[in-house]
Amino acid sequence: MPLARRVMEAFGGNKTVDEKFDGLEAKLANLERKVKGFNKIVGSYMKDLKNFQDTSLSGAVNLLSYYEDNPGMPMHALLGKMKDFHQDNVETKYPLLVKTVDERVSKALDEFTKELGQVRARVKVRNEARLSFDHYRVKIDGLRKEREKYVSQGNLAAWKNKEKFKRNEEKFEASKLRYDTLNAAVMKEMQKLYNKRFTHINNFTSSFVKMQMFFWSAYGKQCSSFLGPMKAALQRSSAMTTGMASGQSPAPVQEHKAMEPPTQARQPDQAAMMPPSSPPSRPLEMKNEPPSLPSRSPPKAKPKKKKKKKKSVVAATADPGYGAYSQAAPPMSGGASMAQPPGGPATSGGNVFDDFEF
């Protein structure tokens, strides 16, 4: 096709317009841009996550270095476990995560991108057929107008472009048939792909969200296992530091299991919590003096007459059947009450970091 025709087509000159095709093409083009953008987001996410893991490992190594001159400190063992935890994430967990993302998220994105690319290639062939069709359509329209001019003058025999008209008319019919066939087939493919778009979208979006949630859930559980041991290690370290500052030799430090929560305090024995009982009385036969007998028999008691209880009038505002629950409840053990939970008042705002301090 001549370059002039392509330039004219680029500026929209005398172009065949199919609004339904143009609408589908715009939808698929917008969808393809989003998919390519999400593919870049996944790549950036994995890169940033790798930087996060590397930085966490570097931080753990730096923190551990402060205790190298005194490995007996409880924090030394805890930070050693933390360093191993981050190193395992960098060397083992992250490569497994990359493999999972490649197999689940990236693969689903690539499959959808591949189908979009195949349709886009078909659209390109269709557009070439439209350019050819428009070229011969414009050309044959010009020849028809020229022939009609000669016919109106009654001088058709003098027209010199009869063979040219016949030749271009055949090319026009062939280009029109090819364009109509390709346009119908490509539109069918475009509509089919657009209708099943959520099959691909649900696949890679759900895989990406599940990957995030499972990873950070497992990571959070591992991180939270350090909080209890760190509290115990800090308490022991504080006692050792106080003793060292006063000139006393620090007590020997037992091995601390960093990944296990601190054991609960030993509960006192049940016997120790019982009130002291009075000493048992000696049996009668073991006493030195014999038991004294009463000087006279006690008088017989007269049976008391049962008094009839008067029925109390219940007020109209009373709640019958709940009188036993209307009294104040006895205080709970340890001074706690129903309004105040044993663990203390709930933090306002629901911020997860409100209870960060030990």
Side-chain angles (χ1 to χ4, degrees):
M1 182 179 298
L3 180 61
R5 170 59 58 188
R6 293 183 178 274
V7 172
M8 186 175 66
E9 289 287 345
F11 288 95
N14 207 358
K15 173 183 174 181
T16 299
V17 177
D18 189 332
E19 294 182 356
K20 188 175 180 180
F21 171 86
D22 293 342
L24 276 173
E25 185 182 29
K27 289 179 180 179
L28 289 177
N30 184 41
L31 189 60
E32 188 173 18
R33 282 193 299 269
K34 291 179 180 179
V35 171
K36 289 182 178 179
F38 184 68
N39 208 351
K40 291 181 180 179
I41 290 173
V42 173
S44 299
Y45 183 89
M46 298 304 297
K47 183 179 179 181
D48 293 342
L49 187 59
K50 180 64 166 62
N51 292 335
F52 169 77
Q53 299 285 6
D54 292 338
T55 305
S56 299
L57 177 58
S58 300
V61 172
N62 180 273
L63 295 177
L64 182 62
S65 65
Y66 295 108
Y67 298 88
E68 288 180 350
D69 58 343
N70 196 345
M73 295 293 287
M75 285 294 290
H76 181 270
L78 180 68
L79 292 173
K81 293 285 186 179
M82 187 175 294
K83 169 188 166 292
D84 295 340
F85 161 64
H86 289 300
Q87 189 166 359
D88 180 65
N89 284 334
V90 171
E91 297 178 355
T92 306
K93 299 291 193 312
Y94 181 78
L96 290 175
L97 181 64
V98 171
K99 182 181 179 182
T100 302
V101 171
D102 290 341
E103 292 177 351
R104 303 287 181 86
V105 183
S106 299
K107 184 178 180 181
L109 283 169
D110 291 342
E111 289 178 355
F112 193 30
T113 304
K114 183 179 179 181
E115 290 196 28
L116 287 169
Q118 291 174 348
V119 173
R120 188 177 63 253
R122 294 279 290 163
V123 169
K124 184 177 179 181
V125 175
R126 176 262 182 198
N127 288 340
E128 290 291 335
R130 183 192 59 79
L131 285 172
S132 178
F133 166 68
D134 285 343
H135 169 72
Y136 289 109
R137 178 178 58 81
V138 172
K139 197 169 184 179
I140 201 68
D141 286 345
L143 290 171
R144 282 173 178 171
K145 291 179 180 180
E146 183 179 333
R147 186 184 64 172
E148 289 175 0
K149 182 180 179 181
Y150 279 89
V151 170
S152 63
Q153 294 175 356
N155 195 17
L156 184 58
W159 188 40
K160 299 179 181 180
N161 291 327
K162 294 178 182 178
E163 292 295 330
K164 183 178 180 181
F165 176 80
K166 184 178 180 180
R167 184 174 63 251
N168 283 275
E169 189 176 31
E170 292 175 355
K171 292 181 179 180
F172 165 74
E173 293 296 338
S175 64
K176 183 179 183 302
L177 178 62
R178 184 169 184 268
Y179 164 70
D180 289 341
T181 303
L182 284 173
N183 187 56
V186 170
M187 284 185 63
K188 186 177 180 180
E189 294 177 17
M190 294 168 67
Q191 190 65 57
K192 181 180 178 180
L193 179 58
Y194 188 74
N195 289 343
K196 71 169 188 176
R197 63 192 183 279
F198 286 113
T199 303
H200 297 280
I201 294 172
N202 291 340
N203 192 5
F204 63 73
T205 53
S206 62
S207 298
F208 183 72
V209 172
K210 285 190 290 185
M211 177 272 295
Q212 281 184 302
M213 298 304 107
F214 281 128
F215 174 81
W216 289 112
S217 176
Y219 186 84
K221 288 179 181 178
Q222 288 180 296
C223 290
S224 63
S225 65
F226 284 94
L227 296 178
M230 181 174 287
K231 179 179 180 180
L234 288 174
Q235 291 174 348
R236 296 171 65 198
S237 297
S238 178
M240 293 176 62
T241 303
T242 303
M244 294 170 64
S246 61
Q248 300 176 4
S249 58
V253 179
Q254 299 179 356
E255 183 179 358
H256 178 67
K257 296 181 180 181
M259 295 303 293
E260 297 180 0
T263 56
Q264 297 181 356
R266 181 177 178 271
Q267 298 294 335
D269 296 335
Q270 294 290 339
M273 298 181 64
M274 297 293 292
S277 59
S278 58
S281 60
R282 300 175 63 187
L284 295 177
E285 62 271 11
M286 297 297 294
K287 292 184 178 180
N288 296 328
E289 298 179 358
S292 60
L293 299 175
S295 58
R296 59 180 181 177
S297 59
K300 296 182 179 181
K302 295 181 180 181
K304 295 182 179 181
K305 295 182 179 180
K306 295 182 179 181
K307 295 182 179 181
K308 296 182 180 181
K309 295 182 179 180
K310 296 182 179 181
K311 296 183 179 180
S312 59
V313 180
V314 181
T317 56
D319 188 5
Y322 294 91
Y325 299 94
S326 62
Q327 300 178 357
M332 298 176 65
S333 60
S337 64
M338 294 297 290
Q340 178 71 30
T347 55
S348 61
N351 190 344
V352 69
F353 295 106
D354 287 343
D355 298 329
F356 179 74
E357 297 293 339
F358 294 128

